[in-house]
Amino acid sequence: MTLTPQDVFNALPIVRDARLALSTAMPCSVVVPFATYSPWLGDAEFQATYEAIRPNSLVDQYRCYELWRLVEQTVRLGGDILEVGVWRGGTGCLMAARAKALRAPATVYLCDTFKGVVKAGDKDPGYKGGEHADTSADMVGALAARLMLPNVRILEGVFPDDTGDELAAHSFALCHIDVDVYKSARAVVEWVWPRLVVGGVVVYDDYGFAGCDGVTQLVNERAGQSGALTLHNLNGHAVVVKFA
Ligand SMILES: C[S@@+](CC[C@H](N)C(=O)[O-])C[C@H]1O[C@@H](n2cnc3c(N)ncnc32)[C@H](O)[C@@H]1O
């Protein structure tokens, strides 16, 4: 049976807004927006890069496309790009590929323990610590080499505890925090916020994902901070713009 677009739309109300008992801390449901505009499908350069990084990423194309567009919009501010939570390098190399294509002078710093998630605690029901250890700095370096990205630098260790000092004098236009748990995400944002240029952006992955309740809590706690505008994207990103 071939479904028409109308058939698909007629079926959506069956799942849209269905409540899910996934978390005791936050309300959850099946989120199906009504909008249909999908610019990532019409962007050939994005699609080629996304296909190249896809085997090395846990992140879907909706979030990857947002990172892609945010690189374009933030590199003109000056400052480097920081990703903490790299795993096999997918999103980090996607951002670096965009920066390179734009001839931006930014270096893209990719920071990971390469030994898995750290600092999991009681705010993080989905994590014990050590998840996503199935990677290595070499694996990320190989992806960066395949994509010919001279603008990537890989830092191995807990961030900021082990490697923050190396970057202490830098300023950043964009920071992608993809560390899954509360304490790690908090340490990263507290480190980067004073180093973020005005107009710069922090993107949190894991915002609203089942099991990542700690990251959602952190973003919500910080949403009232002065000089910051916090946007909830239904794709699972929280996007925070520094305006002062
Ligand atoms: C979900 S994965 C990142 C996914 C990746 N962005 C992608 O494109 O698929 C989370 C990563 O965060 C790393 N991590 C968590 N806390 C960290 C910390 N404080 N410092 C460095 N790496 C950390 C883990 O080692 C793991 O590789």
Side-chain angles (χ1 to χ4, degrees), residues 36-54:
T36 55
Y37 178 48
S38 308
W40 46 89
L41 298 178
D43 185 331
E45 196 181 335
F46 168 75
Q47 283 298 329
T49 309
Y50 177 64
E51 283 311 312
I53 63 94
R54 197 172 173 173

Side-chain angles (χ1 to χ4, degrees), residues 2-12 36:
T2 306
L3 295 176
T4 66
Q6 194 58 51
D7 292 331
V8 175
F9 266 86
N10 290 344
L12 291 178
T36 55

